[in-house]
Amino acid sequence: MMESGVPLCSTCGEPVGFSSNGEVFVACHECNYPLCKPCFEDELKEGRGSCLRCGASYLVHDTTEDADHQELRKRVTMASHLQDSKDNGVHARNESSLSVAESEANSESGNPIWKNRVESWKEKKNKKSAAKKAKKEEQIPVEQQMEGKESLDDGQPLSRIVPLSPNKLTPYRAVIIMRLIILGLFFHYRITNPVDSAYALWLTSVICEIWFAVSWVLDQFPKWSPIMRETFIDRLSARYEKGEFCGLAPVDFFVSTVDPLKEPPLITANTVLSILSADYPVEKISCYVSDDGSAMLTFETLAETAEFARKWVPFCKKYAIEPRAPEFYFSQKIDYLKDKIQPSFVKERRAMKRDYEEYKVRINALVAKAQKTPDEGWTMQDGTSWPGNNPRDHPGMIQVFLGNSGAHDIEGNELPRLVYVSREKRPGYQHHKKAGAMNALVRVSAVLTNAPYILNLDCDHYVNNSKAVREAMCFMMDPQVGREVCYIQFPQRFDGIDRSDRYANRNTVFFDVNMKGLDGIQGPVYVGTGCVFNRQALYGYGPPSLPALPKASFCSWCCSCCCCCRSKKAPKDEKEVYRDSKRDDLNAAIFNLREIDNYDEYERSMLISQLSFEKTFGLSSVFIESTLMEYGGVAESANPSTLIKEAIHVISCGYEEKTEWGKEIGWIYGSVTEDILTGFKMHCRGWRSIYCMPLRPAFKGSAPINLSDRLHQVLRWALGSVEIFLSRHCPLWYGYGGGRLKWLQRLSYINTIVYPFTSLPLIAYCSLPAICLLTGKFIIPTLSNIASVWFLGLFISIILTSVLELRWSGVGIEEWWRNEQFWVIGGVSAHLFAVFQGFLKMLAGIDTNFTVTSKAADDGEFADLYIVKWTTLLIPPTTLIVVNLVGVVAGFSDALNSGYEAWGPLFGKVFFALWVILHLYPFLKGLMGRQNRTPTIVVLWSVLLASVFSLLWVKIDPFLSKTDSAVAQNCNSIDC
């Protein structure tokens, strides 16, 4: 764990220490590679005179140069970095806005509170670093220290990129270019050959086709350079776990829940148990559960879970259980004796299963008790009233269940920390739903544990792979990779979905195709759960390697604070002023933390002044100090006895007022899909993200599998995208100032926020086949030979693109087809409603909700699949199906009445109508309800064939009448 912002040596794991003048020791002044002075001297003695990271030569005389020369060099280095920070729109710009009087006052004495804190800070660090260094040298054998150095000298990476085979990628790219060319020729033909007899239909179809082409470009080109990654967990352990010493970074887990009656407490408890039993050092894990509904049921469930964890955690670690969520472990239909050789395993497993069943009974009893709230409200066991009886008006609540003294399992081993958090809520305050709850967890965890990394999970997403945290640390703790990484995103995998995945709940195409493509650019988007964050990225800090600007002297930096230096500031031309203003608008980063250890006492006191940091982070000195610790750790200046009091303060409902929370810091407000917005802001600051796909899925969750719930979920996602589109954070115009967001990454974010608008051309295009069949007109004129080539080439290129995409991604054809079907189903229903609801909400302030009510239910393994719920989302797709079916019947009727020559044009019209019906088929099947009823396809064909036979009969009957009359006339003519 890091002490007060001092980096740890990458060789021995100790703080790098201080030089003779009291400044933090820096071995390499090119990249600030963390290396303590003893290890640095060993490097020089062994003849290695260059930096392990950047390869720059060490300046040997830096260790012996006089203090005045060293101080001058450090000031120049610090001043140049500060000028870089100010030009990049960093938080130091707040100081330049101070008045002259305030600046002079701060320059003379600084903030006395912070000045005293910094003095005590340095004194404690000098003493503790020397004592710990001696202690660790005694504990760790010399041979083991040398082995650690040798392993680092080898420079073996903790992960590697697995590029796709050129045999798969080159044809894929070639077909994309070919399809782009064919699209151009196709649109040239379509625009230059209008259909005069159906001009309105032709114009509508061309506009829709152009929009579809643009959507395809936005979706396709971010997948230009897909990659895959491989991690080396054994190397991570060899490097950071040496005997009793463990250098793995601490991780704070966040679990969020709101309503225990809608989100079953047993599922939340299983998620918590899977976290507490993860394969990671227990002292490095802290689990924070956010109860945003202030429910006593959630509180009591965690109390029961903490007791059961004392048995469950040692059982999992003793027998390497997977998964470590008991509900899902005991429900597995596999041979649980596989790879288990301990003779006592069967006996202990049976005992554990019995304990878990008793635990479930207690949880279910709590749930049954909570179904009806007493008139006087809930009462705790000591007789006092539950503080959260009013979920909209209650104080902040924190309870540490595990992690304090005496928190051990049944075998006497330490357990991870488990903390219950319910932030304060009062009427009249905007609480920002999940995003606000997550930001409250960020602050309370910073005060109590302040782990450098945060892993957030939904309450229904349990840890399926106990080594998932180690997988993430292979990226975060890799010196070559982790410095620029803001988060590690894992794919979402789900349980309880039917085999055919009728409504594309697994979303495989997105997670296995699109996200791999984004990983080859600047990284995957944040999808709200299963993500490991760099805490400093959440604080709005930029990555260490911000774009460099021309360096300036120390006086030029101070000119904004000291009037005596104003005359020395070089004037800027218009281009530089415009560039700096754009970066200031971007709010790219608050501060470059890598330079803070090089500041002297005067400079540090200015940067940690209340005038700059409290306007950003809020009125908590303990929390502000924690934000300066790049490698985590609890602030030394804080009294442990007052930490809970401070934690209550940072989750108060008014804490975020007049700060940057939700604007530039933490989870960003302004959309129901706060995850997309939060990741977008980080990428705009220059960070990159990484997509981690271990062989065993890291996390698994549950998904709504019936049609109505699925559409309602998609509606929420689409509404969030529309809100971002109508906000200042729209990727179409936001984030250009810093030049840190790559263009292909921008295209992917643009596609993320404009895709709901595809519903408008999609519903028009799905209506065109029926209109053409009913009116006898068509959107395409008579095809020539060259036009037939363009149409044929377009269809072939579409098929080839999909086939080659499936080839390199490993996605199955059925999964791809389900995704295509639900793209149409969601597009003509949920996306359409999201567009109108978004405009009503953002422009008129009208918040429209489409409620879903249960209509029927069945029992069975996939009972939810057959539940039919009524919602307004069902109207548009139902209408399209009926209209197209009627159009097909009318088309056949018209062809039968018109003769043989009408069957040719009918083929094209019916083809497009069947395209719509096939894509909406899962929707129609969902309306039919139970699986054991007559298959929908049989019903469809029965209706269609009955209609055709009826029309044939109508046609044949007059034909026979005409024949009979003709025969009669012939007989009369020959006088028969």
Side-chain angles (χ1 to χ4, degrees):
M1 185 177 293
M2 169 145 179
E3 294 186 11
S4 304
V6 179
L8 301 179
C9 175
S10 295
T11 300
C12 63
E14 291 297 315
V16 297
F18 299 87
S19 56
S20 58
N21 62 351
E23 297 294 330
V24 176
F25 178 76
V26 179
C28 176
H29 296 285
E30 295 293 330
C31 66
N32 285 346
Y33 182 65
L35 196 68
C36 65
K37 190 172 181 180
C39 294
F40 174 70
E41 293 174 352
D42 291 340
E43 291 286 316
L44 297 180
K45 290 178 182 179
E46 296 176 9
R48 289 187 289 271
S50 58
C51 178
L52 294 173
R53 174 181 292 164
C54 66
S57 298
Y58 291 131
L59 298 177
V60 179
H61 63 278
D62 282 354
T63 59
T64 57
E65 63 183 351
D66 61 285
D68 294 336
H69 179 69
Q70 190 178 40
E71 179 67 19
L72 177 61
R73 177 174 53 77
K74 284 184 175 291
R75 280 180 175 271
V76 172
T77 303
M78 181 280 308
S80 63
H81 282 287
L82 280 179
Q83 183 63 27
D84 291 349
S85 299
K86 188 173 70 172
D87 288 342
N88 280 295
V90 298
H91 191 71
R93 67 178 181 274
N94 288 338
E95 297 184 29
S96 64
S97 64
L98 301 178
S99 65
V100 176
E102 290 171 334
S103 301
E104 291 176 350
N106 279 336
S107 63
E108 290 177 1
S109 60
N111 186 299
I113 299 176
W114 286 107
K115 187 175 180 180
N116 295 335
R117 180 169 298 162
V118 170
E119 290 177 356
S120 62
W121 201 2
K122 281 188 175 182
E123 185 178 352
K124 289 180 181 179
K125 282 188 284 188
N126 286 329
K127 293 179 180 179
K128 292 186 73 174
S129 61
K132 286 191 173 184
K133 186 76 176 178
K135 184 177 180 180
K136 288 292 175 68
E137 286 179 353
E138 293 177 0
Q139 292 180 350
I140 303 177
V142 178
E143 296 80 9
Q144 194 175 28
Q145 295 178 11
M146 294 304 297
E147 288 177 3
K149 292 178 183 177
E150 290 175 1
S151 63
L152 280 175
D153 289 341
D154 293 339
Q156 291 182 324
L158 301 180
S159 63
R160 73 182 184 97
I161 295 176
V162 182
L164 295 181
S165 171
N167 296 331
K168 296 181 179 179
L169 198 56
T170 303
Y172 175 65
R173 292 174 173 175
V175 171
I176 291 176
I177 299 299
M178 180 184 70
R179 181 174 174 181
L180 198 61
I181 296 172
I182 293 175
L183 271 175
L185 298 172
F186 170 79
F187 282 119
H188 177 267
Y189 167 78
R190 292 284 284 133
I191 295 173
T192 56
N193 291 270
V195 182
D196 296 330
S197 61
Y199 190 82
L201 295 178
W202 167 83
L203 183 60
T204 302
S205 65
V206 170
I207 294 174
C208 294
E209 289 163 2
I210 292 175
W211 179 269
F212 295 150
V214 173
S215 299
W216 172 77
V217 170
L218 293 176
D219 180 68
Q220 191 68 61
F221 278 89
K223 297 181 283 190
W224 184 260
S225 302
I227 63 172
M228 293 167 40
R229 297 180 184 270
E230 181 181 1
T231 56
F232 304 102
I233 298 180
D234 53 342
R235 296 180 185 177
L236 179 75
S237 299
R239 181 175 298 184
Y240 293 104
E241 294 181 289
K242 305 169 184 177
E244 296 181 358
F245 172 74
C246 179
L248 293 175
V251 179
D252 287 339
F253 285 78
F254 291 175
V255 179
S256 58
T257 183
V258 179
D259 188 351
L261 299 181
K262 294 182 179 179
E263 300 165 335
L266 186 62
I267 299 300
T268 304
N270 271 268
T271 300
V272 172
L273 289 170
S274 67
I275 293 172
L276 298 178
S277 56
D279 184 8
Y280 206 70
V282 293
E283 70 276 9
K284 306 287 185 179
I285 294 179
S286 299
C287 179
Y288 294 84
V289 179
S290 170
D291 177 19
D292 219 31
S294 65
M296 187 173 173
L297 173 58
T298 303
F299 181 86
E300 292 179 332
T301 299
L302 285 184
E304 291 287 350
T305 302
E307 289 299 318
F308 181 71
R310 301 176 190 272
K311 302 177 182 179
W312 176 252
V313 172
F315 171 74
C316 290
K317 295 188 174 182
K318 181 178 180 180
Y319 297 108
I321 299 300
E322 294 287 359
R324 299 189 177 180
E327 181 69 22
F328 300 95
Y329 168 69
F330 290 120
S331 63
Q332 289 182 115
K333 297 179 180 179
I334 60 173
D335 181 12
Y336 64 87
L337 295 177
K338 186 178 181 181
D339 300 327
K340 299 293 187 296
I341 59 176
Q342 297 91 333
S344 60
F345 170 68
V346 175
K347 181 179 179 180
E348 291 192 28
R349 184 184 185 275
R350 289 173 179 170
M352 184 55 60
K353 187 174 183 180
R354 184 170 57 253
D355 290 339
Y356 178 65
E357 293 297 332
E358 294 174 356
Y359 164 76
K360 284 178 63 177
V361 170
R362 294 194 297 271
I363 298 298
N364 291 332
L366 293 175
V367 174
K369 176 184 174 183
Q371 296 299 318
K372 185 177 180 180
T373 305
D375 296 335
E376 65 279 5
W378 297 108
T379 304
M380 293 187 290
Q381 292 182 355
D382 59 357
T384 59
S385 178
W386 171 246
N389 276 323
N390 187 348
R392 298 182 180 180
D393 187 3
H394 65 85
M397 296 178 285
I398 296 177
Q399 174 67 45
V400 180
F401 286 105
L402 298 175
N404 51 352
S405 59
H408 295 84
D409 59 30
I410 57 176
E411 296 181 358
N413 300 316
E414 185 181 355
L415 285 171
R417 186 184 299 262
L418 175 61
V419 183
Y420 168 87
V421 179
S422 182
R423 58 181 173 144
E424 181 186 15
K425 286 190 176 182
R426 300 297 181 189
Y429 288 91
Q430 178 61 261
H431 299 103
H432 302 289
K433 299 181 180 180
K434 181 182 177 181
M438 298 304 292
N439 285 337
L441 286 184
V442 171
R443 296 191 294 271
V444 72
S445 64
V447 171
L448 297 180
T449 52
N450 196 32
Y453 303 110
I454 294 171
L455 197 161
N456 83 289
L457 293 172
D458 288 343
C459 62
D460 60 345
H461 276 71
Y462 64 91
V463 181
N464 183 65
N465 183 349
S466 61
K467 298 183 183 296
V469 183
R470 295 178 181 268
E471 295 276 355
M473 291 302 108
C474 285
F475 299 105
M476 287 297 195
M477 300 189 69
D478 191 331
Q480 303 298 329
V481 179
R483 296 171 62 249
E484 310 296 321
V485 177
C486 55
Y487 60 82
I488 310 294
Q489 180 64 62
F490 291 86
Q492 292 186 20
R493 304 300 188 208
F494 302 99
D495 290 318
I497 299 177
D498 63 307
R499 182 178 177 184
S500 63
D501 193 14
R502 185 185 300 175
Y503 308 121
N505 282 282
R506 293 189 178 93
N507 220 351
T508 312
V509 173
F510 174 77
F511 286 112
D512 289 12
V513 180
N514 297 59
M515 297 286 266
K516 287 181 181 178
L518 291 176
D519 199 15
I521 310 173
Q522 200 172 341
V525 298
Y526 169 43
V527 296
T529 183
C531 187
V532 180
F533 282 97
N534 182 337
R535 186 184 284 267
Q536 299 301 324
L538 283 172
Y539 289 156
Y541 296 133
S545 59
L546 291 174
L549 294 175
K551 296 184 179 181
S553 64
F554 177 71
C555 289
S556 65
W557 171 74
C558 289
C559 65
S560 61
C561 299
C562 303
C563 59
C564 62
C565 299
R566 291 183 183 275
S567 60
K568 298 181 182 181
K569 184 173 181 179
K572 294 183 179 181
D573 58 26
E574 293 183 1
K575 291 184 178 180
E576 290 179 339
V577 173
Y578 178 75
R579 177 196 60 196
D580 293 347
S581 65
K582 295 295 287 184
R583 288 184 174 180
D584 190 72
D585 290 340
L586 177 63
N587 287 320
I590 294 176
F591 198 70
N592 192 344
L593 277 180
R594 292 184 58 79
E595 297 305 319
I596 194 169
D597 295 325
N598 292 336
Y599 301 158
D600 60 20
E601 181 179 329
Y602 162 73
E603 295 150 356
R604 190 190 296 267
S605 65
M606 291 182 64
L607 290 172
I608 312 178
S609 67
Q610 293 178 348
L611 291 173
S612 59
F613 273 73
E614 289 189 354
K615 288 181 179 179
T616 302
F617 292 112
L619 300 174
S620 172
S621 58
V622 176
F623 175 74
I624 292 174
E625 187 172 343
S626 71
T627 64
L628 301 177
M629 301 178 182
E630 185 177 1
Y631 299 96
V634 179
E636 294 180 0
S637 59
N639 186 348
S641 62
T642 62
L643 285 181
I644 294 294
K645 182 179 179 181
E646 191 70 21
I648 291 290
H649 169 57
V650 298
I651 61 173
S652 59
C653 57
Y655 183 85
E656 295 182 355
E657 287 192 342
K658 298 181 180 180
T659 67
E660 295 297 318
W661 284 101
K663 302 172 185 175
E664 302 297 331
I665 304 174
W667 272 258
I668 307 301
Y669 304 149
S671 171
V672 294
T673 52
E674 70 287 331
D675 45 6
I676 298 295
L677 203 51
T678 302
F680 174 63
K681 293 279 286 188
M682 292 181 182
H683 284 137
C684 285
R685 296 184 184 114
W687 293 95
R688 75 149 294 133
S689 55
I690 284 179
Y691 197 49
C692 182
M693 295 183 65
L695 293 178
R696 179 180 179 86
F699 312 101
K700 280 190 174 183
S702 56
I705 63 173
N706 69 70
L707 178 61
S708 303
D709 289 346
R710 173 68 166 145
L711 289 177
H712 206 266
Q713 180 190 58
V714 173
L715 170 65
R716 179 181 174 276
W717 295 342
L719 177 60
S721 295
V722 175
E723 289 174 340
I724 297 174
F725 176 82
L726 298 174
S727 71
R728 73 181 186 93
H729 292 115
C730 178
L732 287 170
W733 51 73
Y734 181 84
Y736 289 94
R740 299 166 190 152
L741 187 66
K742 296 184 179 180
W743 280 100
L744 288 180
Q745 192 80 12
R746 184 179 296 279
L747 285 182
S748 70
Y749 274 111
I750 292 175
N751 181 57
T752 300
I753 58 104
V754 302
Y755 78 89
F757 296 95
T758 305
S759 60
L760 299 174
L762 183 61
I763 199 167
Y765 210 73
C766 290
S767 303
L768 285 176
I771 296 174
C772 292
L773 286 167
L774 292 172
T775 60
K777 298 177 181 180
F778 201 35
I779 59 177
I780 300 173
T782 303
L783 293 179
S784 61
N785 292 334
I786 189 66
S788 302
V789 172
W790 300 143
F791 274 90
L792 185 62
L794 182 61
F795 282 113
I796 293 176
S797 64
I798 292 174
I799 295 172
L800 282 178
T801 304
S802 301
V803 170
L804 292 175
E805 201 168 83
L806 300 182
R807 184 167 172 252
W808 64 254
S809 66
V811 176
I813 185 68
E814 183 181 6
E815 294 169 317
W816 172 84
W817 175 238
R818 292 301 186 194
N819 182 79
E820 291 294 309
Q821 287 180 313
F822 200 79
W823 175 74
V824 176
I825 296 172
V828 299
S829 57
H831 297 172
L832 181 67
F833 278 80
V835 171
F836 288 106
Q837 185 176 355
F839 275 99
L840 287 174
K841 182 177 180 180
M842 301 300 293
L843 302 180
I846 301 174
D847 193 2
T848 307
N849 293 318
F850 302 97
T851 57
V852 181
T853 57
S854 179
K855 184 128 183 197
D858 298 294
D859 297 329
E861 183 179 1
F862 300 110
D864 289 344
L865 180 65
Y866 315 120
I867 295 177
V868 180
K869 298 180 181 180
W870 173 248
T871 172
T872 48
L873 299 177
L874 304 179
I875 296 176
T878 305
T879 304
L880 284 175
I881 289 179
V882 172
V883 169
N884 278 275
L885 287 173
V886 171
V888 170
V889 175
F892 276 105
S893 175
D894 183 68
L896 289 172
N897 288 319
S898 300
Y900 176 78
E901 63 278 358
W903 287 90
L906 177 66
F907 173 76
K909 301 174 186 178
V910 172
F911 174 80
F912 285 112
L914 291 178
W915 179 89
V916 175
I917 294 172
L918 286 175
H919 278 78
L920 294 176
Y921 168 71
F923 174 83
L924 188 60
K925 192 172 183 179
L927 292 180
M928 297 297 294
R930 290 186 56 87
Q931 190 180 34
N932 57 5
R933 292 182 180 176
T934 305
T936 310
I937 192 65
V938 175
V939 177
L940 286 176
W941 277 109
S942 300
V943 174
L944 183 60
L945 291 176
S947 302
V948 172
F949 286 138
S950 300
L951 293 170
L952 284 173
W953 176 258
V954 173
K955 182 67 178 177
I956 291 172
D957 182 52
F959 174 76
L960 290 176
S961 301
K962 292 178 182 179
T963 304
D964 293 340
S965 61
V967 172
Q969 292 176 0
N970 291 335
C971 292
N972 290 331
S973 64
I974 60 175
D975 196 20
C976 53

